[in-house]
Amino acid sequence: MTSTEPTVVDFPLRKPGVAFPPPHYTDYREKEGLVLSYLPNGNRVWLVTRHEDVRAVLTNPKISSNPEHEGFPNISQTMGVPKQDQIPGWFVGLDSPEHDRFRKALIPEFTVRRIRAMRPAIERTVEERIDAMLAAGNSADLVADFALPVPSLVISTLLGVPPVDRDFFESRTRTLVAIRASTDQQRDTATKELLRYIHRLVAIKEKWPGDDLISRLLATGALDSQELSGVLLLLLIAGHETTANNIALGVVTLLTNPEWIGDDRAVEETLRFHSVADLVSLRVAVEDVEISGQLVKAGEGIVPLVAAANHDTAVFECPHMFDPSRSARQHVAFGYGVHQCLGQNLVRVEMEIAYRKLFERIPTLKLDVPVEELPFKHDGVLYGLHELPVSW
C-alpha cells in the first residue's frame, strides 16, 4: 500500500479550449496510487486513470454502481444515475444479482446475430437521412440532420415505434440529450413525456404483440411493465447520444485523416480515441478496498476515467494518434465486466454503416469551419459535438 499522500487535483470537468482527453490525464497516470479530487458538491472522490486499474475497479465486487449507497459520486443533477424509485428498471444502477436479472432478459436482443438481421433496416435509415440532406441543398449540420436522427430512428425500429409516432419520439429524444439547447425543465418534461409514451406503447404491445424488442421482452415475463418502461428509456438514452456523438466525431476525424476513409477498422479506433463516455462509470466502495496500492474506504466515491484508460501508453502505443491499424479491441469505451454496454454490437454496426454510406454518397463532404472552431461538448456527461457544419 502506498505510503505517500495522494495527489489532490480539481475534478476534471471539461473546459472550452482544453483538448480532450485533457493533457493532465497523463500526469494522473504517472502518479503513485490514485488521484484524489472533489466533486462540485464538495464530496471527495478517487480518480482512476490507468487501464489496468479501471478494469479492476469495474470488476471488483466491493465496488458498487448503485446510487443508493452513501457516498455515490453523482456529479450533478444532469450528470448522475437515477435511483430505482425515480426510474424503475434503470438497471445500470444495480449490482448483482439484481442487475443480472435485467441483463439476462436483454442479452438475446443484442447478439451479433440479432444485430446482423437489423442491418438492412439500419442501411435504409441511413440512406433516407442522406437523401433528405441532399434534397435540402449542399450543406447541413451533420449533428442535427444525420448523427442524432439515425440512432433515434434505429431505436424506434428496434422498439416497434409506429412510423406515425417517430417524429414525436425523435424530437423528445433530441430535447433529452441537448444539454446546451434545452433547460433542465425541458429535459424533465421530455423524460416524462417519453415515459408516458413508452407506458402506452407497452400496453399496446401487450394486446397486439409484433416482431419487436418490446413484444419479445413481454413474452418472457422477466420484467413487469414499470421495469420494462424504465429499461426502454435507458436503452433509448444510452443508445442515442453515445452513438450520435461517435458518428459525428468519427466523421470529423476521418475528414482530417482521409487515408482511413472506407476502412472499417476506423470504428474501433474512433471508440477508443474519443472515449465519449469518460465520466459515465461512476462507482462507490461498499467495503474497504485497495486499488493500485491505495486504500479506498467504504463510502468513498470512485470515478474511473475511461478516456484516461483508453489513452494509457502501457496498453496503446502513441495513443494520441488516430491509427485504425492498431489493435484497439481492449479499450474500455463500452465499460468492462458485468456492466459492459449491452448495445455495443448495435453501436458498431450503426457507426460502420453511417461512415460507409456517408462517404460513398457524398465523396466531396468537407468541414465548413476549422476543427478548432467546432462547438465541442464541454457541458454534458458525454463528449461530442453540438453542431457539425459541413458542405459538399
Side-chain angles (χ1 to χ4, degrees):
M1 190 175 299
T2 179
S3 58
T4 59
E5 287 295 314
T7 300
V8 181
V9 300
D10 292 335
F11 191 79
L13 292 173
R14 293 185 288 274
K15 299 176 183 178
V18 177
F20 184 81
H24 46 264
Y25 279 11
T26 300
D27 299 331
Y28 296 170
R29 282 194 303 270
E30 294 172 353
K31 305 293 184 185
E32 183 179 357
L34 303 181
V35 177
L36 183 63
S37 188
Y38 289 85
L39 296 178
N41 63 13
N43 292 345
R44 59 185 266 161
V45 292
W46 294 100
L47 305 181
V48 185
T49 57
R50 286 180 285 273
H51 187 272
E52 178 184 6
D53 296 337
V54 166
R55 282 190 167 194
V57 165
L58 297 179
T59 53
N60 194 310
K62 295 181 179 180
I63 297 172
S64 172
S65 63
N66 193 332
E68 302 279 357
H69 289 297
E70 185 71 27
F72 187 86
N74 268 340
I75 300 171
S76 71
Q77 181 180 349
T78 58
M79 298 174 71
V81 181
K83 299 177 181 179
Q84 290 300 301
D85 62 352
Q86 296 171 314
I87 304 181
W90 199 275
F91 65 97
V92 294
L94 295 174
D95 300 317
S96 298
E98 293 88 353
H99 168 269
D100 303 341
R101 176 170 66 90
F102 290 91
R103 193 173 183 92
K104 183 178 179 181
L106 287 162
I107 281 176
E109 296 299 323
F110 293 97
T111 61
V112 172
R113 181 178 179 182
R114 178 79 73 183
I115 302 306
R116 187 183 300 122
M118 289 183 63
R119 287 188 70 96
I122 297 171
E123 289 181 343
R124 283 195 301 272
T125 296
V126 171
E127 292 275 16
E128 287 168 1
R129 292 313 309 161
I130 296 173
D131 288 343
M133 288 196 301
L134 292 173
N138 64 352
S139 65
D141 171 5
L142 207 68
V143 170
D145 298 330
F146 186 74
L148 279 172
V150 164
S152 179
L153 292 167
V154 168
I155 293 171
S156 295
T157 302
L158 180 67
L159 301 186
V161 174
V164 69
D165 293 339
R166 289 184 183 176
D167 285 345
F168 163 84
F169 197 76
E170 201 276 328
S171 69
R172 298 309 185 274
T173 303
R174 184 175 302 200
T175 298
L176 203 60
V177 302
I179 295 295
R180 187 171 73 170
S182 56
T183 65
D184 286 347
Q185 180 60 48
Q186 288 170 325
R187 287 191 294 275
D188 184 60
T189 299
T191 299
K192 291 175 180 177
E193 289 176 344
L194 277 169
L195 271 174
R196 281 197 297 269
Y197 177 82
I198 290 170
H199 286 321
R200 291 196 298 270
L201 187 60
V202 169
I204 291 169
K205 299 295 183 183
E206 285 178 322
K207 291 184 178 180
W208 298 287
D211 183 17
D212 54 71
L213 179 145
I214 296 176
S215 299
R216 289 189 293 269
L217 285 177
L218 284 169
T220 69
L223 309 174
D224 64 37
S225 60
Q226 291 291 320
E227 291 174 333
L228 180 54
S229 294
V231 165
L232 298 176
L233 184 64
L234 171 61
L235 294 178
L236 172 63
I237 294 173
H240 184 259
E241 192 182 4
T242 50
T243 308
N245 289 346
N246 275 310
I247 289 173
L249 290 168
V251 169
V252 172
T253 307
L254 288 169
L255 286 173
T256 53
N257 296 271
E259 68 273 20
W260 297 111
I261 290 175
D263 192 323
D264 288 347
R265 293 176 296 177
V267 170
E268 214 64 44
E269 177 68 346
T270 295
L271 291 164
R272 179 204 70 82
F273 187 73
H274 290 294
S275 300
V276 302
D278 184 36
L279 297 173
V280 166
S281 300
L282 306 174
R283 297 291 189 269
V284 63
V286 291
E287 299 179 36
D288 288 359
V289 60
E290 185 178 323
I291 305 167
S292 193
Q294 174 66 55
L295 174 64
V296 178
K297 296 181 180 179
E300 291 187 328
I302 305 169
V303 180
L305 296 173
V306 168
N310 283 342
H311 285 251
D312 189 342
T313 54
V315 180
F316 304 103
E317 185 177 357
C318 299
H320 60 287
M321 294 180 60
F322 181 76
D323 181 9
S325 69
R326 77 169 82 241
S327 176
R329 274 280 182 165
Q330 65 269 46
H331 67 70
V332 289
F334 290 119
Y336 191 67
V338 297
H339 282 279
Q340 191 171 41
C341 175
L342 264 171
Q344 59 183 286
N345 293 325
L346 178 59
V347 174
R348 287 185 173 103
V349 169
E350 288 183 76
M351 291 171 64
E352 176 251 305
I353 292 173
Y355 299 153
R356 176 165 47 81
K357 293 288 186 181
L358 191 64
F359 288 109
E360 284 178 357
R361 295 282 307 278
I362 315 179
T364 57
L365 189 72
K366 63 179 181 177
L367 297 176
D368 273 356
V369 299
V371 172
E372 58 271 17
E373 294 180 16
L374 289 171
F376 290 94
K377 292 181 178 178
H378 300 288
D379 49 359
V381 66
L382 298 172
Y383 184 62
L385 282 162
H386 290 292
E387 299 171 358
L388 179 52
V390 295
S391 58
W392 50 87

